[in-house]
Amino acid sequence: MSSLKDIKSEIENYANDSNLSELQIVEKLEKHYFDKKVNENLKLYKKGKKKVSEITKDLKISPRKFYAILEKKKIGHNKYKKD
């Protein structure tokens, strides 16, 4: 519990030093750690060790959003036609 208090106080101190609010800082941290987790999963996806369904379950995103990330990062993947 004390570590959480330390994190809160660090965020408050950083907010006082910068022009950002606490919520903006938390959003930036969330984006940073989400991107970090995505990059780890992309490495496993490229090696074929992890499937799309496993990755989307871990990241709690839709497959469509994951495929958009793949296209954004120019990583090849199979597209299936809806016939």
Side-chain angles (χ1 to χ4, degrees):
M1 190 68 179
S2 63
S3 62
L4 183 59
K5 289 180 183 180
D6 295 339
I7 293 170
K8 287 180 184 178
S9 64
E10 287 295 324
I11 290 174
E12 289 173 1
N13 291 338
Y14 185 76
N16 289 334
D17 294 341
S18 67
N19 293 332
L20 302 172
S21 70
E22 288 91 353
L23 189 58
Q24 289 172 324
I25 294 167
V26 171
E27 288 172 354
K28 285 188 176 198
L29 286 171
E30 181 181 10
K31 184 178 181 333
H32 168 74
Y33 286 108
F34 179 76
D35 290 343
K36 185 177 178 182
K37 188 77 169 171
V38 166
N39 289 333
E40 289 173 7
N41 281 309
L42 286 177
K43 288 177 187 175
L44 295 172
Y45 176 76
K46 286 181 189 177
K47 293 178 183 176
K49 294 186 178 185
K50 207 163 188 185
K51 295 181 180 180
V52 174
S53 60
E54 295 169 344
I55 294 171
T56 56
K57 188 182 281 187
D58 288 346
L59 297 175
K60 296 178 182 147
I61 59 172
S62 68
R64 183 175 287 183
K65 188 171 182 179
F66 180 71
Y67 286 121
I69 292 171
L70 289 176
E71 289 180 10
K72 181 179 170 186
K73 297 201 179 235
K74 299 178 183 173
I75 297 173
H77 62 281
N78 293 335
K79 291 186 178 181
Y80 299 102
K81 294 183 180 181
K82 296 179 183 177
D83 288 339

